[in-house]
Amino acid sequence: SSSSSSSSSTSSSSSMKSLGVLSSSTVRKETSSSVASKQPIVEDVKDKKMPTVIVFDLETTGLSKERDRIVEIACVDLSDVTSAASVAGDGTDIKNFQTLVNPGRFSIPSHVQKLTGITNAMVSAPDIPSFQMAAERFEAFIEAARLKNKESGDGAYSGEVLLAAHNARQFDSSFLQREYWRLGREMPSHWRFLDTLPLSRSVLKKSGNTKFTLDALREHYEITINEGDMMHRAFTDVKVLSRIIHQLLADNERANTRFSEDKVGLLDSYSFSLGDPGAGSLKRQIAAATSSTTGAPANQPWFSGGTTRTSTGGIADAVDAWENVRAMSGEDFGVDEDFNGGDDDSSSIMYNLKQQNKEESEEAKTRNRLKRPFWAQADPINGFAPPTLDFAKLSTTDENDDKDLRALRNDIDAWKETPIREAFGAGSSYELDEKTLKALETEGVDTVEAILRVCPRKYQEYSPMSNDLRPGTSVSLLGRVVGVQVAPFTRGRSRQPNVITLETVKTSETNEASEGEGWGKSPQRFKVKIWEYLTKDVKSSLTRDAIVKVRGTLGNFTGSEFSVESAKILTDAQDVTPIGEAGEVVATYAKKASMTNEEWHKAIPRALEFFLKKLKGDPLEVSLGKENALLKELQLVSHAEAVASIHAPATVEQVARARERLAFEELLILQVQLMGERKRLQSLAAENEGEGDKEGISIVSTHLCDQLRKELSFSLTRSQDQALEEILTDMAGPAPMLRLLQGDVGCGKTVVAALALLAAVGAGHQGALMAPTEVLANQHYKTLSDLLREMGPDAPKCEIITGSTKQKELKLIYEKIESGEISIVVGTTSLINENVKFKSLGLAVVDEQHRFGVNQRAKLLSKGGEPPHMLTMSATPIPRTLAMTKFGEMALSVIEEKPAGRLPIYTKVLDPSEHEIAFEAIQEETQRGGQAYVILRYVSDKDTEKNQTKGAEEEFERLKLRLPSVKFGLLHGQLSSEEKQNALDLFAKGETQCLLAPPPA
């Protein structure tokens, strides 16, 4: 059925009896030492009231919040579910809400249908609601349950709502939020979420449990379900999870923990909110700025390859992948003829492509022969794969593989690379001369496979000779030598070309000459102009009636002869081969030491023949199975075909398909390496402590974050909200977070980091923020102190450690850090001093992380007893694709917009003769009450390179004389700590109007 909601009339008292372990309890007062005891902070109240706990579950078409849709929702009020270990019955005895959801144009994949039993026919039935209708019913059920519990006679409920789900932090809550966003709405602001996954880890960590999935917990508590019910159906899952929550709370009550008598506090410590709890507050309305300035990310090229020239002179594959797509025909690209464009970037791109294709050039028509590569189907920002692609299929192998394939999968020796001496040494059928072998070894190319990895620098397509070609076309032809005119060649050059007269021939497989086709009965004659020096061997081969191959540019037809300009002549029997109907594609290799293009052309064919004979199977098919669904969907050519085509392609299409396969392999290998590096870094801290692999710290509660956000006089931008949500989601997982937060100066990275630090403190841990310089550390400390001051006198305590901190103060700070009295520590590399010992480091934030070495970051991470989460920040504008490559072991969050009221930044480059414009701008700005910076590369002129740049000290004196009405200040790393702070204070007060400093200051 599409929706059902059944209830039994239950009085308030009977409802509380069924609640069992969820009854309210008296809680003792907490002190500031709660952080020191490594437990979440609890409100300073005596009597706590239970929130209305709604247990819910979602079934979706997949795991991607961006691409997939909800197909089923179910929920129950926890107070209506008994703690019995049986889930017998059809649910009519429990007040509940359950409904299938019509996902619109999205279909349910076969593996999801198999798992859940939900089919496309079921969700497309006429009576199945859309998500908008389902959300309204979902909200109505929750509100009715909240009011019922709040109005109960004993007053045990607070009127707050807590939505509980297993893995709510990383899946259910954000999936639900994304569906609301698609409706142009936010979820009700009073909703909070409870994640039962970390809750179960916490309660059962001493019981020896290693698995905490819903199925594993059901087995642990021996919860039974009806024979006809299916796990992974939403209503069955919520009934099971409700019983599990009751059992977890009962186990917690029996355990001797801080929350043994505080079930409300336990639930609160694993609950979180989404969105902005301070939205619409009076403080926000008073301090509301003008409209926000949102900057759209630049559309940057993200894929490029080598050059493939067509016979007409065009480029077959452009540098920008979207330009490559533009060259495709409208039919191949799937352009809708009724499409009129749209507001979003992808729609605009599609519309522009369609318009540009109307005026397609001859070269573009040539390129249309290329099939669309898999990377052209993707969003250039979010990845290279089609949205239908499920890379989870990579982790599954075909169970029906034959024995030979399984044996080959485990045969490591079969995949080892072959040394060139072994393959091409003396006596081998593929023998190469000693000079070539030494040249290869000098270049570090010491295996057969390494030779094949040297891909061509470029390709040139040559058309076969025909009577409809235009002058300027690159052609390849076979001809019989009729006459030879050798030009004099002196001083390494010739003033005129060698001219060879040929008659066209067609060469059969037996190399017998016959008359050319398409030219009548008489063979066509060509004058071939060759500017290169003809060697003695070539000259001796150019005898009358000798058959040769010529490649060059077709010239004009004069008299009865064509001309071929800038030609290259081939006389060796192995090169004089038949020309196919599609012509030829010739590869050119870059010169490496003594390995010229000609030398590569000698080595590559031998290496290719040896490799193809040695290869026992396709690497991807051996690894994943011949029938792997992902390989079928990608429709890639085989590895052998790709290697052969990249070196000896017959057509331009083969080059494109070969690149596609080899590019996929490179990206796959790179991703596996980055995943391995990520795993290594996540376990680094624990390994340093000699404990091996170890789970990190799970941080779920956001109550301190919410407290600060309610007090802020501004709202976070959508980019900040998104980045914070990604950070908090990572911190909820058992694996330590590794995330890079990137954003321009002034975009609000520090406030996002502050909220993340508060989340760690709220979970009973500590936070550290390490900056590369003392000045920056002081700025962060001031910013954090100002933010924490908004939270009142009970705010977590923050302290700073730098090289200038006095020893007497340091000793006291060290003691407070070790005891846990100090919650957040800001500092420079002083934080990795051996005397700094944290009680429980939950989050380490590293600003301008590229300024620190790997070992310095690792030392900071090793300060935690358990592996802490790590957040690195950078204001350097790194393109997303480059960031994924350089920092691929880290997840990436980008703040792309500035807070409301920030003015746009204008950048101008001024020549030395135009510096007066900058001086005038400084004077005008300071006269209006503004301030300015002058950033120089060096502290002093004596540090500059050949006086090419200016030093800060000398420029400070020059500008004081040049602009006497402006009050200048100077700041650099050679000043004492007091002088630095004084310079910053004067600038902050406005007494200094223009500050000069080199970047490291």
Side-chain angles (χ1 to χ4, degrees), residues 20 300 434 554 568 572 581 725 787 872 915 1001:
Q300 300 173 349
E434 183 65 21
L554 187 63
K568 182 178 181 63
D572 289 346
E581 294 181 358
E725 183 59 29
L787 289 172
T872 64
H915 284 186

Side-chain angles (χ1 to χ4, degrees), residues 35-39 682 685-686 689 694-699 731 736-737 756-770 816-827 831-833 836-846 856-871:
V35 174
S37 62
K38 195 183 170 181
Q39 298 293 344
Q682 287 180 327
E689 294 294 324
K694 187 176 179 180
E695 282 193 354
I697 297 167
S698 180
I699 296 172
M731 291 170 66
M737 173 180 68
L757 289 166
L758 282 176
V761 174
H765 304 283
Q766 295 162 291
L769 194 160
M770 187 165 69
K816 291 183 177 181
I817 293 174
E818 189 171 4
S819 67
E821 184 178 345
I822 294 177
S823 303
I824 300 174
V825 186
V826 182
L831 288 179
I832 62 178
N833 187 295
V836 178
K837 298 177 182 178
F838 290 89
K839 182 176 179 62
S840 175
L841 181 60
L843 173 64
V845 180
V846 181
Q856 289 176 316
R857 295 196 296 269
K859 284 183 180 179
L860 180 61
L861 291 178
S862 67
K863 292 290 183 179
E866 297 177 348
H869 300 285
M870 183 173 77
L871 175 67

